[in-house]
Amino acid sequence: MPDASFDSAAARADVLARIARAAQAAGRAPSDVTLVAVSKQQPWEPVAQALAAGQTIFGENRVQEAQERWADHRAGVELRLIGPLQTNKARDAVAFFDVIETLDRERLAKVLADEIQAQGKAVRLYVQVNTGEEPQKAGVQPAEADGFIALCRATYGLEIEGLMCIPPADEPPGPHFALLAKIAARNGLARRSMGMSGDFETAVRFGATSVRVGSALFGARAAG
Ligand SMILES: *Cc1c(COP(=O)(O)O)cnc(C)c1O
């Protein structure tokens, strides 16, 4: 249940401090890690508190929900799509988002390439990798990642900024973060979007360059 007394500004300061400590412990600069505040399914009030506290980068998992929430607050905000993207929403997604983190199939690569060209908008792209090879989860299989990245680059002319993963909920995340980092390194990709409220410090230790944190910043989401 959403908690009306939740203080998002204080929660953000705490999360940033934990990111900085985890980075320093790993011999990394805290500024190497970007906090993406996942505002999906949250009431506006805690999101407004985070904005007022200086948070400018937000993640949403649905195109339409993001448009409804952010249309009137879009200036100065970087929006990242972190949920699965249907090809029939690609036009809206390219128009509205700065970053799409869930590129995971050839048909979507083609449609995104067409939209980026048509709109003349340089959306930044991440390839999602299904590191746990879970049948219900989006993302390319780890064994197919190199080929898919090469296809995106060579056939569709897409510039890939990095990789994203969501490890299985019931496994230690470290090996999944390590696998994503390895695939990124051998494909010349410097950016890795990995780590959520429950495991972002582990993700920073394994080389995350951005962490996607929702409930630790805004409190529990409304059901549904
Ligand atoms: C919801 C979501 C998050 C944030 O999850 P929390 O556990 O609330 O931090 C991060 N990444 C993705 C892809 C999500 O859908």
Side-chain angles (χ1 to χ4, degrees), residues 38 40 61 82 164 166 196-198 212-216 221:
V38 177
K40 69 180 187 195
N61 69 337
I82 61 170
M164 178 271 221
I166 310 169
M196 320 199 320
S197 290
R212 310 176 307 267
V213 179
S215 45
R221 281 179 288 276

Side-chain angles (χ1 to χ4, degrees), residues 139-153:
V140 296
Q141 299 299 303
E144 288 160 14
D146 296 358
F148 182 69
I149 293 161
L151 179 84
C152 288
R153 287 169 164 164

Side-chain angles (χ1 to χ4, degrees), residues 41-148:
Q41 294 165 250
Q42 295 287 352
W44 178 250
E45 178 58 28
V47 179
Q49 282 177 9
L51 267 172
Q55 181 66 31
T56 57
I57 305 178
F58 292 84
E60 290 280 348
N61 69 337
R62 294 216 175 101
V63 176
Q64 195 182 332
E65 185 190 337
Q67 289 170 319
E68 285 163 7
R69 188 198 311 283
W70 288 102
D72 294 339
H73 308 276
R74 193 68 188 79
V77 167
E78 176 182 309
L79 285 184
R80 298 186 174 210
L81 180 65
I82 61 170
L85 177 58
Q86 297 170 309
T87 49
N88 64 2
K89 300 265 174 62
R91 175 167 304 170
D92 284 354
V94 167
F96 201 68
F97 286 91
D98 300 286
V99 183
I100 295 172
E101 298 204 0
T102 51
L103 171 53
D104 66 351
R105 58 199 189 280
E106 179 167 9
R107 173 101 186 102
L108 184 58
K110 179 183 179 349
V111 174
L112 286 175
D114 289 348
E115 281 303 329
I116 287 168
Q117 172 103 49
Q119 299 184 29
K121 183 162 177 241
V123 177
R124 293 152 52 200
L125 299 173
Y126 285 62
V127 167
Q128 182 176 355
V129 181
N130 185 357
T131 57
E133 303 181 44
E134 296 174 279
Q136 82 286 5
K137 203 165 266 177
V140 296
Q141 299 299 303
E144 288 160 14
D146 296 358
F148 182 69

Side-chain angles (χ1 to χ4, degrees), residues 4-27:
S5 67
F6 196 87
D7 182 346
S8 292
R12 177 174 180 271
D14 179 58
V15 167
L16 286 172
R18 287 167 61 190
I19 290 171
R21 275 199 300 274
Q24 271 153 356

Side-chain angles (χ1 to χ4, degrees), residues 164-190:
M164 178 271 221
C165 75
I166 310 169
D170 56 354
E171 288 181 26
H176 296 274
F177 296 150
L179 175 59
L180 196 78
K182 194 167 123 188
I183 297 170
R186 70 175 181 238
N187 285 282
L189 296 167

Side-chain angles (χ1 to χ4, degrees), residues 15 18-23 25-26 28 33 165 167 171-179 181 192-211 213:
V15 167
R18 287 167 61 190
I19 290 171
R21 275 199 300 274
R28 304 180 59 204
V33 184
C165 75
E171 288 181 26
H176 296 274
F177 296 150
L179 175 59
R192 295 162 297 266
S193 168
M194 55 193 199
M196 320 199 320
S197 290
D199 56 17
F200 66 85
E201 287 151 307
T202 306
V204 169
R205 201 173 327 128
F206 280 92
T209 56
S210 58
V211 293
V213 179

